[in-house]
């Protein structure tokens, strides 16, 4: 439990931005307003979509497994056999563009 807490704190501190924004390429996530700037416009995100995109933006290029995403976005109380990650990745792709989140067969997802 302590290791998970330390990991979460180190992620937040390492990428902290005084403006409350994370960016990668043409994506800019406003953590305070729960919206993302993409293709010249702001798009509102649900809490889970925002959490998912935040994890991707904090780890660009890194393959993140479904279990890692479940742990970081949904916490420990979720069934690892659930397809909730797939559902939210699909919803996120509809909002930001399908090409921005890659599926790595047998491994997970990645922000290229």
């Amino acid at each position: 439990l302590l290791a998970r807490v330390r990991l979460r704190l180190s992620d937040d501190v390492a990428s902290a931005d005084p403006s409350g924004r994370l960016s990668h390429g043409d994506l800019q996530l406003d953590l305070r307003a729960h919206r993302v700037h993409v293709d010249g416009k702001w798009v509102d995100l649900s809490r889970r979509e925002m959490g998912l995109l935040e994890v991707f933006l904090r780890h660009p290029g890194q393959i993140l497994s479904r279990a890692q995403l479940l742990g970081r976005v949904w916490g420990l109380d979720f069934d690892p056999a659930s397809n909730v990650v797939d559902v939210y990745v699909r919803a996120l792709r509809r909002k930001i563009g399908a090409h921005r989140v890659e599926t790595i067969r047998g491994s997970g997802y990645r922000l290229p």
Side-chain angles (χ1 to χ4, degrees):
L1 178 61
L2 288 174
R4 286 184 182 263
V5 170
R6 284 188 198 108
L7 178 66
R8 293 288 293 190
L9 289 175
S10 69
D11 282 348
D12 292 341
V13 172
S15 300
D17 181 345
S19 69
R21 293 187 177 171
L22 292 172
S23 61
H24 177 73
D26 63 343
L27 290 175
Q28 185 176 20
L29 179 64
D30 186 333
L31 297 168
R32 294 185 181 126
H34 288 222
R35 62 186 186 166
V36 62
H37 190 263
V38 61
D39 295 332
K41 62 183 177 195
W42 287 101
V43 178
D44 292 325
L45 300 174
S46 71
R47 192 177 109 227
R48 298 291 190 193
E49 291 166 344
M50 201 254 342
L52 191 59
L53 184 56
E54 180 181 357
V55 171
F56 284 129
L57 288 171
R58 290 187 187 275
H59 305 281
Q62 180 180 340
I63 298 171
L64 299 165
S65 70
R66 285 174 180 80
Q68 287 174 309
L69 294 169
L70 274 172
R72 292 180 184 199
V73 178
W74 282 267
L76 302 174
D77 300 337
F78 234 84
D79 176 18
S82 171
N83 72 337
V84 70
V85 172
D86 304 322
V87 170
Y88 276 90
V89 165
R90 190 174 329 124
L92 186 60
R93 283 177 169 158
R94 277 195 302 266
K95 291 184 177 184
I96 67 170
H99 64 284
R100 290 191 171 91
V101 178
E102 293 180 339
T103 299
I104 309 301
R105 269 191 124 58
S107 297
Y109 298 99
R110 169 176 62 195
L111 186 71

